[in-house]
Amino acid sequence: MPANTKEAVQRALAHGLVIPAFNIPHLPMLKPVVQAVCDEDSAAMIQVARLEWEKFESESLERVAEEYAKYANPAHTLLHLDHVPVIDEDHLEVDFMPIIRRAIAAGYQSVMVDGSRLSLAGNIEKTAQVVREAHAVGIPVEAELGAVMGHETQQQSIPYEEIFASKAGFTDVEEARRFVAESHCDWLSVAVGSVHGAIADNMLDKKKPAAKLDIQRIEELENALGIPLVLHGGSGIQQDYIRRGIKAGIAKINVGTELRQPYERAMRERNDVAYAQECVYGRCRELIRDFLGTSGDAALLLG
Ligand code: 13P
């Protein structure tokens, strides 16, 4: 019997390993990503965020689940619902609970609610609401506290180094302690220096800043919370920081831009889905092997 999602992430934390979670902004990306995960003998989540069916081309969470059902391999893959914001990147309120319910009905094995644009109390309240419903049917919940930048529809004007030096928006340890105790979330996405892949039109094809991580803050958060931490904005982080971040408590890492850009570039060049899928497959294998270092982890995490 394969481990369930909660156990898998717990095992990653216990063994100092990480579970990559690959985003699917275009439906044809799913097949080569699953294939790459299996061929590298890795364990990984396949995930989609609301903005990827609203602003990109994954159509709906149900379409991603259908595609997943065709190619999934439970010895290697899990299906996760990424960011369902309470307030979205355009600062509009989202009716988030029906989306969470649809995902659970469609077979998603874990869900994320993102209340990070709310006050601490508001974020706790909305996250706890999702946790109550999801836990009642055995589904773990990821939440976010702090401001992981990048999902702005306008280009960020402050240079990355300045943000990192000031630690503006980084997750506060005492707030996180209260947040986890009161919301009962299973995993926490923390703001510790990474940046989401930009979604502003003029930034879609640009290289991301080579982000760093505040390793000390990750250690402090892990010591205070004792639950698996999640790193968003995995693309483009300097590799040594990835390795040290995993040791310090990051047990799930989200990767989107590093696969979306090769897909979109290939489609622009040749308008050939099979070719674009090949590019995604090759890049995904490289990321697993050389960047994340998760080749061969499947049995330990999901066996
Ligand atoms: P990147 O696009 O920077 O890899 O971030 C993905 C992400 O965090 C999705 O939630």
Side-chain angles (χ1 to χ4, degrees):
M1 180 73 182
N4 69 28
T5 310
K6 182 156 177 164
E7 280 166 10
V9 182
Q10 205 64 50
R11 283 185 196 177
L13 180 66
H15 292 288
L17 301 174
V18 74
I19 299 196
F22 294 115
N23 285 84
I24 306 294
H26 301 277
L27 284 176
M29 290 173 61
L30 191 145
K31 182 181 177 194
V33 170
V34 169
Q35 195 61 52
V37 170
C38 294
D39 291 350
E40 285 298 327
D41 194 21
S42 179
M45 293 188 192
I46 303 299
Q47 65 179 10
V48 66
R50 174 181 174 268
L51 72 81
E52 289 167 325
W53 68 80
E54 298 265 330
K55 292 188 161 49
F56 292 89
E57 290 167 14
S58 48
E59 296 183 26
S60 67
L61 66 88
E62 287 84 1
R63 283 290 290 117
V64 173
E66 269 171 42
E67 204 65 7
Y68 181 78
K70 283 191 225 162
Y71 303 109
N73 179 338
H76 295 277
T77 58
L78 297 157
L79 183 62
H80 173 74
L81 183 69
D82 191 20
H83 291 274
V84 174
V86 179
I87 306 282
D88 75 8
E89 53 290 341
D90 298 315
H91 304 284
L92 299 172
E93 264 183 54
V94 175
D95 194 8
F96 60 95
M97 213 55 229
I99 303 177
I100 301 281
R101 290 182 190 129
R102 274 170 47 205
I104 293 172
Y108 282 74
Q109 294 161 288
S110 49
V111 295
M112 179 190 190
V113 58
D114 174 5
S116 63
R117 292 190 182 89
L118 304 175
S119 65
L120 176 62
N123 193 355
I124 291 172
E125 184 200 325
K126 302 298 184 197
T127 302
Q129 191 184 339
V130 171
V131 167
R132 275 193 298 278
E133 280 208 29
H135 282 188
V137 290
I139 298 293
V141 176
E142 176 179 330
E144 182 163 300
L145 184 68
V148 181
M149 287 151 300
H151 273 177
E152 296 84 11
T153 31
Q154 298 300 315
Q155 189 176 340
Q156 190 72 35
S157 53
I158 313 167
Y160 174 77
E161 286 301 334
E162 247 176 67
I163 297 171
F164 189 82
S166 72
K167 302 190 197 299
F170 281 21
T171 308
D172 177 86
V173 178
E174 286 317 310
E175 284 191 2
R177 203 194 294 274
R178 178 178 158 204
F179 181 86
V180 170
E182 295 182 19
S183 73
H184 303 287
C185 66
D186 299 276
W187 318 318
L188 188 64
S189 159
V190 290
V192 288
S194 64
V195 183
H196 280 122
I199 55 162
D201 282 346
N202 61 340
M203 295 296 286
L204 283 178
D205 200 30
K206 300 282 185 307
K207 199 169 161 37
K208 286 184 64 185
K212 302 190 282 194
L213 298 176
D214 183 342
I215 302 297
Q216 191 187 336
R217 182 69 61 96
I218 298 173
E219 282 168 356
E220 288 166 5
L221 285 162
E222 184 51 38
N223 287 339
L225 307 178
I227 64 169
L229 303 178
V230 181
L231 187 64
H232 283 231
S235 301
I237 297 176
Q238 296 176 36
Q239 196 180 13
D240 185 49
Y241 284 100
I242 297 271
R243 195 183 49 75
R244 290 162 59 205
I246 295 168
K247 272 206 178 132
I250 299 294
K252 169 177 180 276
I253 179 166
N254 289 7
V255 178
T257 307
E258 281 280 6
L259 295 177
R260 176 181 57 75
Q261 287 182 341
Y263 181 85
E264 291 174 351
R265 202 172 302 129
M267 288 301 283
R268 270 198 308 277
E269 277 167 20
R270 295 206 200 165
N271 196 24
D272 174 348
V273 170
Y275 170 67
Q277 286 177 313
E278 253 174 62
C279 295
V280 168
Y281 173 78
R283 184 67 188 127
C284 192
R285 284 197 71 164
E286 272 172 16
L287 288 172
I288 292 170
R289 199 178 50 226
D290 306 330
F291 179 64
L292 301 164
T294 63
S295 303
D297 288 353
L300 200 52
L301 298 180
L302 287 180

